[in-house]
Amino acid sequence: MNDTFRTFGWPATRIAETAHWAVMLRPAQPVLGALVVACKAPARSLGAAGPEAMADLAAAAAGVEAMLAATVRPAKLNWLALMMVDPDLHFHVLPRYPETREAAGVALPDAGWPGPPRLDAGRTLEADEAAALTLHLAAHWPG
């Protein structure tokens, strides 16, 4: 795994994996259920991921969508490939919703709704909160 995995707390934040992607809880939660979906291959751009990883991204996305629909119930999902600090290929997945959402004892509003996501909002979860939310989400991963 690359440095981006470590930045986002791997392996403690691991929710699920596909052949080419890992789904992790984002420790800083601007919205409830914020995730990081990171490429396992040593890619620094979307085009460098390769056709197998790109095809497998569909499976990862379907799993993320089903899991979040069952837990956070977002009105929309934003997938951001920013890579401003962590250069390895990864997406920040942000569930978007008009009313505060709660899961595993954590409740957060979407401060940016209905506009752009507010990455400066929300909070970094305590270790026990992150562990509980990670387990809760993983229990809803399809299959």
Side-chain angles (χ1 to χ4, degrees), residues 105-120:
V106 178
L108 289 171
D110 181 344
W113 181 267
R118 292 265 320 271
L119 296 177
D120 62 336

Side-chain angles (χ1 to χ4, degrees), residues 7-135:
T7 297
F8 292 106
W10 182 269
T13 56
R14 179 196 179 278
I15 292 170
E17 293 181 62
T18 66
H20 297 274
W21 299 89
V23 179
M24 297 174 273
L25 182 74
R26 191 177 189 274
Q29 292 276 289
V31 292
L32 185 68
L35 308 173
V36 173
V37 178
C39 186
K40 295 178 184 180
R44 297 266 171 128
S45 70
L46 198 55
E52 296 87 8
M54 294 310 298
D56 189 46
L57 183 56
V64 163
E65 291 169 2
M67 176 187 68
L68 290 174
T71 55
V72 178
R73 304 171 331 280
K76 304 265 183 194
L77 274 182
N78 292 164
W79 288 70
L80 309 175
L82 302 172
M83 299 181 303
M84 299 301 292
V85 175
D86 302 295
D88 303 299
L89 179 59
H90 67 285
F91 295 91
H92 295 263
V93 180
L94 304 174
R96 306 300 309 281
Y97 44 83
E99 299 94 19
T100 295
R101 296 293 198 257
E102 187 276 332
V106 178
L108 289 171
D110 181 344
W113 181 267
R118 292 265 320 271
L119 296 177
D120 62 336
R123 64 187 179 87
T124 299
L125 299 180
E126 298 294 328
D128 61 327
E129 293 175 310
L133 187 54
T134 297
L135 287 173

